Amino acid sequence: MIISTGTASGKSLAYLTPAVTACLDGGTVLYLTPTKALAADQLRTLRELRITKVRAATFDGDTPFEERKWVRQHANYVLTNPDMLHRGILPRHAQWSSFFRRLRMIVVDECHGYRGVFGSHVAQILRRLRRVCARYGSDPTFLLASATASEPGAFAKRLTGLEMHEVTVDASPKGSTTIALWEPPLTDLRGEGGAPVRRTATAEAADLLADLVLADIRTLAFVRSRRGAETVALSARAKLADVAFSLTTPTDHHPLAPGSSTTTNPHNPAPGEPEDLAHHTPTPGPPSKPDHHNSAPSSPNDLDHHASASGPPGEPDHHALSRAASLITPGEPVDEGGADEGDLPERGSLGWSIPDTSDWASLPDKIAAYRAGYLAEDRRLLENALRAGTIMGLATTNALELGVDVSGLDAVLIAGWPGTRASLWQQAGRAGRDGRDALAVLIARDDPLDTYLVHHPDALFGRPVEAIVLDPDNPYVLGPHLCAAAAEIPLAEDDLPVFGDTTPAVLEDLVAQNLLRKRPAGWFWTRRERATDLADIRGGGGSPIQVVESSTGRLLGSVDEPSAHTAVHTGAVYLHQGETFVVELLDLEAGVALVSSASPDYTTFARDITDISILGTQRSHALGPGTLHFGEVEVTRQVVSYLKRRLQSGEMLGDEPLDLPPRTLRTRAVWWTLPASAVAPLAEAGIDLGGAAHAAEHASIGLLPLFATCDRWDIGGVSTELHADTGLLTVFVYDGHEGGAGFAERGYARATDWLTATREAITSCECDRGCPSCIQSPKCGNGNEPLDKRGAIRLLDTLLTQHSTSC
């Protein structure tokens, strides 16, 4: 069964009740979650029940080795994640024989997080789990819990391989959530190509987080990247430090004295006010994805208000946010006139109250960062501090998007479109979990999709959430798991249907590669290596790189291997818990990045080059005068240099070369071509065809997540006026995962809607020559050159001509 309802609707109670009952009846329960944080939270909940017969324990990477034997032999409610199930439990199933024999229930919590390549890996891990259970004579019930998703029963069947009943009716009581769509203002600065630069979403989030914490509003700020989360926390703490400093010398014009308001204007900082790392420069997104240019919760019907805070460029409507925020708790009526838009509200003007404390020096300590890569004990301390109210504001990646119980939150800030409507409602649903009204603010990044959504709220509200895309039959996913299954228990003919229809063909290929040996009794793993090492289920592409402080040997955290090329290359600026470091050396063979503490006045951005070749075309059809294709491609990507940009102004300080190996990716792509006869009139009109295709590619990458369940960092793109394999003007958008993840295929299926929205996003942007809100990308390997905004519009008009006429 799958229960797919909104946040705080009681899903945990729905599986806890039968799970605890199974333990009391002598059975065992296996609980799976995407994150260790959620497992730790569920363990806390179970222990609070104080039921002595329920011996609950986590079994994951944070579990001390001396405790693991006890868990295997005595625990009857084991909480783990797919990674540990894949590497630590299934390969050693004989040590878990007693647990598997009595296994009554498998709980798969927050299963909407299992999408794309990661979801495809988890689907095969669950099939291996079913096979091991059958070996020990158990037939456990699968109970899946998911935030609101489209067609949850079909998704759950694809994930587990089992027929599913679905529960989707949500009658749980909840307060209302006000949604504000917030577009940061344009600044006086100019970026690449003279394009106007909009204030970054992270800088806006830092200002709002500081204001909300100062007003005693418990707030979670979701930021897309690890570096962004650190930046927001660091900047917000600096702003609170300024407030604390000003309060140490009482005057007649005290900033928080009755009848006065503070003079901190987030858009016009006072002289000497720290403007934050990357205050006026685009904050780089997660660097781990191959876009070289750059899940689900409350139903939208539960979030029954939305306010647009975009306003005229450069003039964000602070009163709109004030009116929205006043819904959090009852308070005095909001004074909608006379206040300076940048001023912090007076006591009670938003229904809030300024915290009554004399220890102002500790004010900055009420804000912290939280992300993957922190040590386990640090993450647990932060989670407990947020629940206790010691920390009032937390800047986090999506590590806290899932169902960790942080009830008591009043507001959520979402710095940048989170990738899907499902993730948007999930993140917004973190506030108001105790039934109170709440506020959620979506702060638009300087990005085509974010800008499109702020100006087209109908694309968000009243629309169903996306279907969850995964492809368990991907041979790059299936092959390693067949090897792992054969190493666990030799594969027999009867096992093949469990793994899917493509299994026989993939087995033949594995035998040809000498990975498996075929014998009369079945298929056997005969190598000395661990078969589980063949499958990298998180898509990291290698062992994590350990980040170590060179002077002390202190382990700061870890970065997955592909991300290391862009995040911790030699010379990179690296942030960790508010501290700034510079990378002295990245040693990929040793798996370590040595860093030293520093305070540079610049930040760094990796640059790369990408080539693409077509390996095979699976489907094609006409699109206007051109042709749309879907097939297999090979992408070669290499980080070649990094830029230094001054923190305060965004001024370019230099381009430093790097010597890093290229990375090759075999994946699937959607691409479109236009014949010379269609593009000749554009060239005659003086349009730069290469720049037009490049601009259309950037914008289409930005808009595809609206039509496929993906993040823009899950996809990449390449464009060329004349591609070697097609001989035509060609624009590619490809899946950033080995073997493909289904995103490009979804783009192929919805190409007309997707490309029409792309054209509209470019056309409606107010800039003259192109900017990050429409056709520029902060990760472009070519430095956003050449780009032709007018040409991109004409090019897409040409491609969509036939469709427009038929409509």
Side-chain angles (χ1 to χ4, degrees), residues 491-748:
L491 282 167
E493 288 285 349
D494 293 344
D495 296 324
L496 303 194
V498 174
F499 293 97
D501 296 336
T502 61
T503 302
V506 175
L507 279 173
E508 288 183 13
D509 187 52
L510 294 174
V511 171
Q513 296 179 51
N514 293 320
L515 291 173
L516 292 182
R517 183 170 298 175
K518 178 72 166 66
R519 291 175 177 167
W523 290 264
F524 290 77
W525 174 260
T526 57
R527 297 195 170 196
R528 293 183 177 181
E529 309 96 284
R530 297 197 314 168
T532 52
D533 290 341
L534 296 175
D536 181 15
I537 73 171
R538 299 276 179 174
S543 301
I545 301 296
Q546 305 299 318
V547 182
V548 177
E549 187 174 19
S550 59
S551 60
T552 65
R554 177 169 59 120
L555 176 63
L556 300 179
S558 62
V559 178
D560 59 84
E561 198 270 341
S563 298
H565 289 235
T566 51
V568 289
H569 57 75
T570 301
V573 175
Y574 178 78
L575 297 179
H576 178 79
Q577 292 188 343
E579 294 183 72
T580 307
F581 300 85
V582 172
V583 180
E584 298 177 353
L585 174 69
L586 169 61
D587 189 334
L588 293 173
E589 291 187 5
V592 64
L594 297 177
V595 303
S596 58
S597 181
S599 300
D601 63 347
Y602 61 86
T603 186
T604 54
F605 301 86
R607 304 289 289 269
D608 57 47
I609 56 175
T610 303
D611 293 318
I612 191 167
S613 58
I614 299 172
L615 301 179
T617 302
Q618 296 180 7
R619 295 194 288 279
S620 299
H621 68 74
L623 183 63
T627 307
L628 186 75
H629 305 269
F630 172 74
E632 189 175 3
V633 298
E634 183 173 84
V635 181
T636 302
R637 179 173 178 247
Q638 183 177 20
V639 175
V640 295
S641 67
Y642 67 96
L643 300 178
K644 291 182 178 181
R645 285 180 177 162
R646 197 175 298 281
L647 285 174
Q648 300 291 344
S649 65
E651 174 190 356
M652 197 73 67
L653 300 178
D655 189 350
E656 303 290 336
L658 289 170
D659 183 18
L660 288 169
R663 300 182 60 84
T664 301
L665 176 74
R666 290 174 66 102
T667 184
R668 295 177 184 177
V670 54
W671 66 94
W672 51 268
T673 59
L674 278 173
S677 59
V679 299
L682 303 181
E684 293 171 0
I687 289 174
D688 177 1
L689 294 179
H694 193 194
E697 173 221 328
H698 279 191
S700 60
I701 288 173
L703 268 293
L704 182 57
L706 193 60
F707 301 91
T709 313
C710 69
D711 185 280
R712 74 165 295 158
W713 304 102
D714 289 324
I715 52 180
V718 176
S719 59
T720 176
E721 184 178 349
L722 189 67
H723 191 266
D725 293 337
T726 65
L728 302 169
L729 183 148
T730 310
V731 175
F732 294 86
V733 176
Y734 60 85
D735 289 350
H737 300 275
E738 195 76 31
F743 309 135
E745 188 171 14
R746 183 60 63 93
Y748 178 85

Side-chain angles (χ1 to χ4, degrees), residues 317-335:
D317 184 358
H318 285 265
H319 293 307
L321 182 60
S322 298
R323 290 191 293 272
S326 67
L327 296 173
I328 296 177
T329 53
E332 300 174 17
V334 175
D335 178 5

